[in-house]
Amino acid sequence: MAEYDYDLLVVGAGSGGVRAARVASELGARVAIVEMDRLGGTCVNVGCVPKKLFVYGSHFAYDLQDARGYGWSTETSFDWAALRANKDREIARLNGIYGGLLERAGVDLLKGRAQLLDAHTAEIGEMRRSAERILIATGGRAILPDIPGSEHAQTSNAVFSLEELPKTMMMVGAGYVALELGSVLCALGVDVTLVHRGEEILRGFDRDLRCHLHDELEAKGMRIVLETRVQELRSTGSGFEAQLSNGEVLETDFPVFAIGRQPNTEGLGLEDLGVELGTRGGIIVDEDFTSSVPSIHAVGDVTDHMQLTPVAIAEGMHLAHRFYGRGEHRIDYMSIPTAVFCQPELATVGLTEAEAWHRCQDVRIYKSVFTPLKLTLSERKEHTIVKLVVDASNDRVVGCHMAGHGAAEIIQGLAVAMKAGATKAQFDATIGIHPTSAEEFVTLR
Ligand SMILES: Cc1cc2nc3c(=O)[nH]c(=O)nc-3n(C[C@H](O)[C@H](O)[C@H](O)COP(=O)(O)OP(=O)(O)OC[C@H]3O[C@@H](n4cnc5c(N)ncnc54)[C@H](O)[C@@H]3O)c2cc1C
């Protein structure tokens, strides 16, 4: 082993790479991590964290409306530049924290873009470093459309560095990134049109929740155009116009495409080394995150599996424990809870109703749509939906879904109950906390 500079060389200091590097080093390995941009990767810089800060910031628009019903009269104004600057300051603080964590764990940080020269060596600018194992944790990037005028198309990254709020935004796509960032700008007064080629928003989620959310987003002023593609983007001098496949010409100041993300595998030299890639360019790995080349591993978005920070972190942990510990950390991909932080937020764990009918012989569905107590004194109308999917053969709860205030916080707890194999009878036997929205889950009949 001494013939190599390191035991483990990690490429990419995002969620998965940093966790693998830190844990491997703490377990005694000699580790270096290479990063060509800011520490923390997508999640910290242009993903989960700044997105959630913007969600909090924009939700005050609704909170202030609600406050009137509770006797508050408020003179308010909103300053986008202040929100952005405060967000930037917090992200810079987190970048520093990541640096400190790596330093304290004894990981060498190498700044620059890495390219592999062979199965044990990477070139980083002028430097060459060798390692017994190389971990590729380079994440993914947003896809841009292949249409005339695509040079005018922006990605979600642009939202985080907007100098000023546009008057209008065209958000193309209807996955979680599109809905979340569309909701943020909509709440802040931007005229948002969502254009989506599919027949409903949020493909893959439970149908009741998709339809519920569609109505709620429209009620908040978002325009949703379905079964429509953007065929061309043209600059008008003062803004842009999008030629839509339904014949409409949509004028917009800010055309953003959130139509999917692709793994960052280009330019690493992987193909030359015989690393097998999937059809979308993701690195194919086995259950220990080893690629077709035994010394090259991959975790996180670059494997094109589940694009979630906790998944990338769990994979990084697994890899470190597998090769430098006792291999006791294992990942269970079943029933991973997930949220869409649009407004209202949606969270889900387990099977949708359609999936349950596919997998179980008989299914029982329980659902409730209601106005949360907090909004009874507000002029603002927003409904919450909760839904349980139960396997009738054994009474096991196989799906929990919610769209409404606090959904993500509530579903995280229910995910533990589902992991423990909770039955509907056990949900029913649980006393609720009153008055809450969460108690609906234990009173569904
Ligand atoms: C707008 C948005 C919102 C999101 N919100 C959520 C959320 O709420 N919850 C959630 O769980 N997930 C969310 N995600 C997904 C989440 O950010 C990713 O799943 C996660 O960051 C993946 O981690 P990773 O380690 O695989 O890659 P990344 O975090 O992307 O890190 C990869 C790193 O590798 C570096 N790199 C790439 N190539 C090289 C190279 N050749 N040399 C050196 N360095 C290189 C990059 O600069 C980057 O820092 C969101 C994503 C986006 C875009």
Side-chain angles (χ1 to χ4, degrees), residues 13 48 79 168 203 218 253 275 367 425 434:
C48 333
D79 182 353
T168 59
R203 186 165 61 90
E218 283 189 333
D253 302 327
V275 174
K367 66 182 166 193
H434 183 71

Side-chain angles (χ1 to χ4, degrees), residues 12 14-16 35 41-42 48 51 114 137-139 176 300-301 307-310:
S15 309
E35 176 53 59
T42 304
C48 333
K51 179 268 309 277
T138 48
Y176 77 91
D301 285 7
Q307 296 174 357
L308 290 171
T309 284

